[in-house]
Structures are given as C-alpha cells and as structure tokens.
Amino acid sequence: MRTSEAATAVTRQLQLAPASSAPRRGSEYALLSRQIKQAGLLERRPGYYAWKIAATAAALAAGWTVFVMVGNSWWQLAVAAFLAVVFTQIGFLGHDAGHRQIFGSRRASYVLGVVLGNLGIGLSYGWWVGKHNRHHAHPNQEDADPDIAVGALAFTAAQARGSRGGARLVFRYQAYLFFPLLLGEAVSLHVASVQALARRAAHHRSWERALLAAHGAGYLTAVFLVLSPVKAVVFILVQQGLFGLYLGCSFAPNHKGMPILDATGRSDFLRRQVLTSRNVRGGWLTDLALGGLNYQIEHHLFPSMPRPNLRRAQALIEAFCQQHGLPYCQASLAGSYAQALRHLNAVGRLTHPGTAT
C-alpha cells in the first residue's frame, strides 16, 4: 500500500461517524436492554464462577508445587510457560470482578479483585479498574480512551505525525514490532501499578500496597530460593514475557484496527460500542483462551453480563444489529490480528515526511 493510500485509509476511520437522531438511538438500546433482561442474560452465575475460581486456584497451586519439585533445572522454563497461562486466566477473572460479573456487591467485587490482581498476579486492581472504565466509556476515541494513548504505539494519524526521534522510528515499524513489544507488557503493567499506588490517594490504598508487596516478595523469594541466579532471571523473563504476550494477544483483537472516533465526535452508546468492537469467531476453546473477550461487542454493550452468558447473547445481539442497520464485525483470531497489523502499518507509514492526506 502506498503512503497516500495508507493515509486515506486511516483518515476514513477517523472521519467515520454515525448519523441518526438521539431519541431514536436511546430507544434502540433500551429495546435491546429489555430483550437481554427478559432472556435472563444479566443474572449472576455463581456456580460457574465458583468452579472457575477453584479450578484456576488449583492450577496456580499445582504450578508452584511442580516448580518446587523440579528444583534447580532448566525444565523450569516449561513451568514458567504454564504459570504465564495461569496468571492470564487469573487476570481474566479479575476483569470479570471489575465489571461486577461475579458479585453484584461493589465491596465483594473489590475484595475478590485485589486478591486476584494485587496478590495473585501483581497488578493493581484499583488502578486498572479506573483505566478500564475510561476505555469502556470511550472505546477507540481520541484523547479519551487510555488504551489508544499508550506511548509505545501510534493508533491515530495525529500520534504518528506528531512523533519525533526514536518514537517515530518505532511507529514506522510498529506493525513488525507489535508482538515483540507485547513481551514487555506485564512489566509495563507492574510498573504502572506501583506508580499508581505510590501517588494515588485511593480508598483502601494501603491494602492494595500490602498485597502487591506480598506478591512481589513471595514471587521473587520463591524463584531465587529454588533456582540459581542465572536460571532465576531467565525464569522471570520467560514467565513475565509470556504473561504479557498472552495478555496483549487476548486484548489486541477487540478494538485494534476498528474505527477511531474523533475526539469531538458525539455518538450514542449503542453505536459507539458496536462500531469500535470486533468479535472473534470460535468455539469453547476460543472462549477459554480469550476469557470471553472474544464476545467483545456483547461485553461492551453489557459489561456486567457474566462471561458464560455472552455466547448465549450473541445471536440475539447480532440479529438486533442487523435489524437496525448496524455493522456487526466478526473475524477469525488470525483475521483479527491481520486487521490490527494492517492498521498499525497504515498509521506507521504516516511518519514518513511528505505523506499525503
């Protein structure tokens, strides 16, 4: 694709805006919401989450048990890969707790969230919930969605053209660097969590700090007690690198490569969520691997809907979108990555001097 064509493709996305009367839009979502509630799809699923949490906790315990039994061996790299998967599954449960899919109570959700996030995987639950709520309110909207304001990548033409020095070079080749950069995602989240807790005067901040410190101390103590220094460092790099890669690969298909909404644009909730979200096709294995995030349209329209209900809601919501002329985007997992990388490549080309608009 020539640079002028790339610029045009990105500009089309930035200019995409729905046009319809506000009252009609509001009534559409209200109608859909009534259908969802009547189908019982917002009701809690305590049985599902009880066994899900128990199974994930058992996998975590099994992973660390095997870690101790294997001892000072390079076979620990296989354990590191296993624990990276378990950490990500714990992250998915923390995500569900943050949306109050598991408990209706804010307090119970918070307690579970800090146990899963701060203690379980070393990420600040309170910081993440605030960031993630801003994303849900303004998905893919310039100057509003924190998920497209990350410094390591450019998602909009303005970010690409405004880059300088090393950042410009990275943006230019960001489509090729995307997956390697995800290897550092977990470390980035750990650092952001510590920084947020150091400066944020938040409710229960002391508890979050204590649990985050407990995770860090326990993790490092176990690794350096069992492994030699070199093996310990390699274990951490592999485990945290794969953890970040898995997390990033789970979130990347959801919005990357979907329309970017203008910062000043005004669209209703229904269209804002549907236009910027993409589902990933697949069966039960995809549901398990992506933690239900493959039903991104359903999740964004009804964030508190329990994970096992998302699949049941899909047919209803897809039919509703078709009836009301709304695009309902679905792709395979590989296809979603391809769309995301094409978008990153198109934006990256805008860093070239003299790129046409």
Side-chain angles (χ1 to χ4, degrees), residues 58-76:
L60 180 66
W64 284 117
T65 299
V66 172
F67 173 81
V68 173
M69 292 175 62
V70 170
N72 188 27
S73 165
W74 285 111
W75 284 106
Q76 292 285 18

Side-chain angles (χ1 to χ4, degrees), residues 146-178:
D147 286 2
I148 61 169
V150 293
L153 297 169
F155 294 101
T156 70
Q159 291 171 343
R161 293 199 180 98
S163 61
R164 296 290 183 272
R168 173 173 287 236
L169 184 63
V170 171
F171 292 167
R172 185 172 301 174
Y173 300 104
Q174 62 183 0
Y176 304 97
L177 297 173
F178 179 67

